[in-house]
């Protein structure tokens, strides 16, 4: 039996500490269940709850809204979904004790996922994907819920396999990033869900545009570019109207993917991702963390390498350090949740 404990996203607590969401299979049936875990400021786990409805499930993103938390992801809601490996998108509201206040799900026909969520004055806006055999009501999906998780509106963009990975609210607009057939998507919507414009960037990997942040009247987007059989981490700078202003490609190492951006307290852009290495007939993954200024000039990029596969999935800035959540694969049978610490100079402070 494989032991699985994954950490995909985190949010900081006002009193110190943090909440992490992801999935684990610590149950009698070995199903991988979406998890909600809370840690104190000494990194001790004080709460862990799993989402027990359906079969396999996972959370991809979490935010804090006052004294509550909103987690989004997907689950196999029926035996048919369990058998076929398809999912229903999921949104759950938790209280400070990790108890479920309300949950809701979203499914059209066959396969739906939520990847990111933000809070607005009168509710929550989530993004993800919805695919099905008919290609009707499918593609990258954007949905608004009220505070009680009742759906207000939904919008679709792109082809059947299109995905929204992340979103941000800035300049009175919603900016969403994702992928459609290895083409990066930047979509602009108003708060009523009306599409303003779409902008595209070609020749990316399967994740396309992976994350987005806003700062000083412009947008910064992480991506992974595919060139001649190799991948390279990419950061792009767009104006609020969707015009590409600048881009920088990390070329010192190949097979690098950039997955998540953070604007830290000093207005530096921090990026995390992974490096894939082929050795002794197997592929291995190491973590990577980099610092750039807002002109996209590289300050430092550091590779995090161990004797096991490592995945960096999310990053937060606390005082003089960065907290990176992810997981590591010790053997084919053990995948463990990890919290990695780095100084603002990107020195490794331990796990």
């Amino acid at each position: 039996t494989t032991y699985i404990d994954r950490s995909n996203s985190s949010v900081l607590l006002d009193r110190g500490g943090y909440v992490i969401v992801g999935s684990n299979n610590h149950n009698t049936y070995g199903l991988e269940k979406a998890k909600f875990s809370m840690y104190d400021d000494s990194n001790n786990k004080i709460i862990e709850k799993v989402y027990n409805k359906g079969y396999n499930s996972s959370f991809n993103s979490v935010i804090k809204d006052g004294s509550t938390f909103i987690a989004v992801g997907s689950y196999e809601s029926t035996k048919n979904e369990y058998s076929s490996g398809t999912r229903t998108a999921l949104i759950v509201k938790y209280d400070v004790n990790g108890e479920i206040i309300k949950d809701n799900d979203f499914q059209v026909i066959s396969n739906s996922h939520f990847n990111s969520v933000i809070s607005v004055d009168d509710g929550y806006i989530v993004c993800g994907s919805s695919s099905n055999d008919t290609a009707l009501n499918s593609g990258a999906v954007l949905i608004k819920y009220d505070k009680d998780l009742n759906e207000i509106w939904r919008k679709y963009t792109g082809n059947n396999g299109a995905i929204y990975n992340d979103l941000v609210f800035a300049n009175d607009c919603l900016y969403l990033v994702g992928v459609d057939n290895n083409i990066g998507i930047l979509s602009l919507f108003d708060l009523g869900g009306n599409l303003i414009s779409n902008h595209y960037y070609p020749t990316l990997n399967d994740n396309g545009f992976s994350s987005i942040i806003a700062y000083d009247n412009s947008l910064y987007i992480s991506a992974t570019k595919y060139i001649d059989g190799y991948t390279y981490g990419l950061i792009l700078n767009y104006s609020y109207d969707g015009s590409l202003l600048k881009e920088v490609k990390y070329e010192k190492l190949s097979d690098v993917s950039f997955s998540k951006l953070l604007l830290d307290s000093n207005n530096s852009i921090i990026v995390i991702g992974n490096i894939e290495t082929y050795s002794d007939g197997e592929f291995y993954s190491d973590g990577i963390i980099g610092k750039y200024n807002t002109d996209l000039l590289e300050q430092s990029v550091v590779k995090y390498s161990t004797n096991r596969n490592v995945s960096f999935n999310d990053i937060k800035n606390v005082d003089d350090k960065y907290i990176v959540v992810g997981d590591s694969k010790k053997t084919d049978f053990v995948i463990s949740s990890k919290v990695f610490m780095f100084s603002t100079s990107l020195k490794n402070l331990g796990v």
Side-chain angles (χ1 to χ4, degrees):
T1 301
T2 301
Y3 173 95
I4 296 173
D5 191 357
R6 306 180 197 272
S7 292
N8 296 329
S9 180
S10 61
V11 64
L12 302 176
L13 302 176
D14 295 336
R15 64 176 184 269
Y18 44 89
V19 163
I20 290 176
V21 298
S23 60
N24 68 44
N25 66 347
H26 306 171
N27 58 76
T28 304
Y29 302 102
L31 294 170
E32 190 169 346
K33 294 288 191 177
K35 71 171 185 179
F36 174 98
S37 304
M38 186 177 291
Y39 294 77
D40 63 21
D41 55 5
S42 298
N43 301 322
N44 300 306
K45 186 189 296 184
I46 54 177
I47 292 173
E48 181 156 285
K49 304 285 186 176
V50 296
Y51 188 77
N52 271 321
K53 294 184 181 180
Y55 297 83
N56 293 296
S57 57
S58 63
F59 287 139
N60 296 322
S61 183
V62 63
I63 60 170
K64 187 175 181 294
D65 181 33
S67 60
T68 65
F69 301 88
I70 308 298
V72 298
S74 63
Y75 76 125
E76 297 163 350
S77 62
T78 65
K79 189 172 183 178
N80 183 61
E81 287 188 342
Y82 172 66
S83 300
S84 64
T86 56
R87 295 279 184 116
T88 292
L90 176 67
I91 179 169
V92 183
K93 175 178 277 194
Y94 287 93
D95 67 16
V96 293
N97 297 311
E99 300 298 333
I100 294 176
I101 300 172
K102 185 74 182 291
D103 60 353
N104 200 353
D105 58 24
F106 163 75
Q107 182 65 282
V108 178
I109 296 178
S110 61
N111 201 15
S112 301
H113 303 257
F114 286 157
N115 293 324
S116 192
V117 56
I118 62 171
S119 175
V120 291
D121 288 343
D122 57 347
Y124 310 104
I125 299 177
V126 301
C127 67
S129 64
S130 178
S131 61
N132 59 69
D133 295 335
T134 67
L136 296 173
N137 294 327
S138 67
V141 65
L142 173 68
I143 301 180
K144 183 175 182 180
Y145 292 92
D146 66 19
K147 294 286 185 176
D148 294 320
L149 305 190
N150 300 304
E151 182 180 327
I152 299 174
W153 50 253
R154 74 175 75 164
K155 304 292 177 178
Y156 300 95
T157 300
N159 295 304
N160 192 23
I163 300 168
Y164 281 140
N165 290 317
D166 199 13
L167 75 165
V168 67
F169 176 69
N171 191 38
D172 294 323
C173 289
L174 298 167
Y175 295 91
L176 292 98
V177 291
V179 65
D180 190 354
N181 292 323
N182 296 102
I183 296 172
I185 311 170
L186 170 62
S187 299
L188 283 65
F189 289 83
D190 66 23
L191 270 179
N194 300 301
L195 179 66
I196 299 170
S197 59
N198 281 320
H199 306 268
Y200 303 98
Y201 187 100
T203 327
L204 299 177
N205 73 345
D206 292 343
N207 292 326
F209 287 166
S210 55
S211 74
I212 183 170
I213 57 175
Y215 172 70
D216 195 24
N217 297 315
S218 64
L219 307 164
Y220 296 88
I221 297 170
S222 62
T224 303
K225 192 169 181 65
Y226 188 81
I227 305 173
D228 297 330
Y230 296 95
T231 59
Y232 299 89
L234 190 67
I235 304 177
L236 306 101
N237 180 206
Y238 280 84
S239 66
Y240 277 160
D241 67 4
S243 300
L244 180 60
L245 303 175
K246 188 181 297 186
E247 62 182 276
V248 60
K249 181 166 84 260
Y250 183 71
E251 298 181 287
K252 295 176 183 176
L253 295 168
S254 61
D255 292 323
V256 173
S257 59
F258 282 171
S259 57
K260 194 76 175 180
L261 294 178
L262 166 77
L263 184 72
D264 75 6
S265 56
N266 295 313
N267 296 325
S268 293
I269 295 171
I270 313 301
V271 61
I272 58 170
N274 291 281
I275 306 169
E276 197 170 71
T277 303
Y278 186 76
S279 177
D280 297 328
E282 293 188 36
F283 285 99
Y284 297 89
S285 177
D286 294 314
I288 190 169
I289 180 169
K291 176 179 285 192
Y292 292 78
N293 67 18
T294 51
D295 292 323
L296 296 187
L297 296 175
E298 179 188 322
Q299 309 296 297
S300 177
V301 176
V302 175
K303 177 181 177 181
Y304 180 89
S305 183
T306 65
N307 61 351
R308 61 187 66 180
N309 283 300
V310 170
S311 178
F312 282 179
N313 299 328
D314 194 18
I315 181 169
K316 294 294 184 286
N317 180 203
V318 180
D319 300 326
D320 58 348
K321 63 179 178 288
Y322 304 116
I323 298 175
V324 176
V325 301
D327 46 71
S328 69
K329 185 178 180 182
K330 186 175 182 180
T331 70
D332 288 339
F333 304 102
V334 179
I335 300 173
S336 301
S337 172
K338 296 292 181 184
V339 178
F340 309 88
M341 301 287 184
F342 294 89
S343 71
T344 53
S345 63
L346 304 190
K347 179 182 178 183
N348 178 17
L349 300 178
V351 178

